[in-house]
Amino acid sequence: LLGHEVVYPNSLRHDGRGGLYVEEADRLWHVEQGAERARSFVPKRADGTMADAFRYQYQVAPDGRVWVTDQSRLYRLDETGVADLVLGTTPRADELTRPGQPTIDALGRVLVSDGITRAVHVFDNDGTRLFVCQVDASERGGGSYRVARDGHIWLSTKNGFALFDLHGERVGMPLSAAASESSGDGDTHPRWDEVDVTDDAMRTLDSIRRRPDGRWLTEMPNRALLFDGGMVLLEKPAVSAPADLHFYARDAKPIRSVALPGDIQTGRLSVSKNCVVAGGYVPPWIIYRIDDRALFRFERAAHGMATDAVGQTQDGRTLLVLDLAQMELTHYELP
C-alpha cells in the first residue's frame, strides 16, 4: 500500500470511514478503505514550518480531519497536510514556553532553547535574562546552537547558521545552507564541522588524534579550549572503562593525561580559569583543579528522572547546576 518497505511505523489511528492513518518518519500515511495505494503528507503550519510533535501528537476527528499539536497550539490539517485552522495563542519568541536544549557556557551564562519558537534565551548566572537570539519563522530549523569561546552564538536555521554577538544582535549569516543537512525527519540538522573550521583553535583541537602517551585516541565525548589557550579532550574508551582528561598546548603539543576516578557518565565538559568539570547529565561529576592538579568528586541528592546541565562561572569559583525538570539554577562553591 505504501509502495516501499515500511520502517518503524507508529501510531495507528482510525479515520472514522473504514480507513486508517499511520505515522512513519516525518510523514502521515492515509490508507482509505478499499484503496490500492496510500497517500501521504508531512504535517505543516500554514507558513510551511514543522514541529517534531506533529509526527506523533495527532488525532483524527469523527469527520476524518486530522488534528496535530506542537504542544503549544492545535492545528487542523487539510488534505495536503497544511494547517487551515489554528487554536491557541501564538507563541512569542521573547517568552520561554517550552524549555529545550540547555547549556552553561564558558562565560557562566545559561542558555536555553525554546522547543516551540526555536529561540535561544540567554541568562546570566543569577537568572536574569540578558537577551534572546531569534530568527524569522520562515528560517526556523532544528533550533540547535553552539557557543563560541568568545561568547558569540551560532544558531542553526533552514538556510544555514545565524551568528549572534555578545549582546544578542544578529551579525550575519556567514555559513550557507550547504552547512546544514536534513536527516529525513522534516527538520534541519547542522554540520557543526563547518562551523569549527572557521576557528583556527578549534580546527587545531579537532586535528588531535593521539593521546599524550602516543597511543591513538578512541571515543571522545567532548573537547574544549582552555582560557590560557591550551586544549583538553575527554576520552572514555568504553561504557565500563574509566575516563581520562588529555591536556595539550595551544599548538597541540601533548602535556599530560589525568585518569578520572570512578565510573562516571561522560558527554559534558566545562572549563574555567581554575577548574575542568567532567561528567554526564546526572552527578557524580569529577572536578579537576588546574593549578595543583587536585581531583574532587561532586555528588548531590537524587531527584527522580530529572537531568542537569552543569557549568561554572568564568572565574572558576562557582559550580552552576541547572535542574532541567524544575528549571532551577543552584550555585555551589568550588574548592
Side-chain angles (χ1 to χ4, degrees), residues 96-292:
L96 186 55
T97 304
R98 183 155 62 89
Q101 182 182 6
T103 299
I104 300 176
D105 67 11
L107 304 180
R109 303 178 304 180
V110 177
L111 299 91
V112 184
S113 65
D114 187 273
I116 303 296
T117 65
R118 306 298 195 187
V120 176
H121 297 248
V122 183
F123 303 84
D124 65 17
N125 57 58
D126 288 322
T128 301
R129 186 164 58 186
L130 301 175
F131 54 81
V132 180
C133 301
Q134 56 183 296
V135 297
D136 295 335
S138 60
E139 294 181 275
R140 292 174 188 164
S144 55
Y145 63 90
R146 180 175 289 184
V147 187
R149 57 177 176 160
D150 61 1
H152 282 66
I153 299 168
W154 297 85
L155 176 62
S156 68
T157 76
K158 284 185 176 180
N159 304 317
F161 295 87
L163 182 63
F164 297 83
D165 65 16
L166 292 171
H167 305 289
E169 297 294 328
R170 186 167 174 173
V171 293
M173 180 76 74
L175 294 179
S176 69
S180 299
E181 57 192 3
S182 174
S183 66
D185 63 359
D187 227 336
T188 302
H189 296 264
R191 290 175 49 200
W192 288 112
D193 56 322
E194 297 291 337
V195 172
D196 288 347
V197 297
T198 65
D199 187 311
D200 291 339
M202 286 300 297
R203 187 164 59 247
T204 301
L205 177 58
D206 191 47
S207 69
I208 299 174
R209 294 290 179 266
R210 291 182 181 273
R211 298 160 48 103
D213 62 9
R215 288 185 293 168
W216 289 100
L217 287 160
T218 54
E219 189 70 22
M220 295 179 292
N222 216 325
R223 57 190 177 154
L225 299 171
L226 299 174
F227 278 78
D228 64 358
M231 306 170 185
V232 60
L233 289 172
L234 175 62
E235 181 187 31
K236 189 174 176 66
V239 174
S240 59
D244 295 286
L245 292 176
H246 304 297
F247 291 86
Y248 303 82
R250 66 177 65 229
D251 60 357
K253 182 179 179 181
I255 298 176
R256 74 176 70 91
S257 294
V258 178
L260 302 183
D263 186 17
I264 62 170
Q265 293 185 15
T266 56
R268 297 199 168 190
L269 195 62
S270 171
V271 300
S272 67
K273 294 179 179 178
N274 295 335
C275 296
V276 175
V277 179
Y281 288 89
V282 294
W285 297 301
I286 301 299
I287 301 168
Y288 174 77
R289 194 164 58 197
I290 296 173
D291 289 344
D292 59 359

Side-chain angles (χ1 to χ4, degrees), residues 270 277 285 287 298 310-313 316-321 330-334:
S270 171
V277 179
W285 297 301
I287 301 168
F298 177 88
V310 62
Q312 307 174 63
T313 53
R317 296 179 179 178
T318 306
L319 183 70
L320 304 171
V321 180
T330 307
H331 293 198
Y332 297 89
E333 184 180 357
L334 281 163

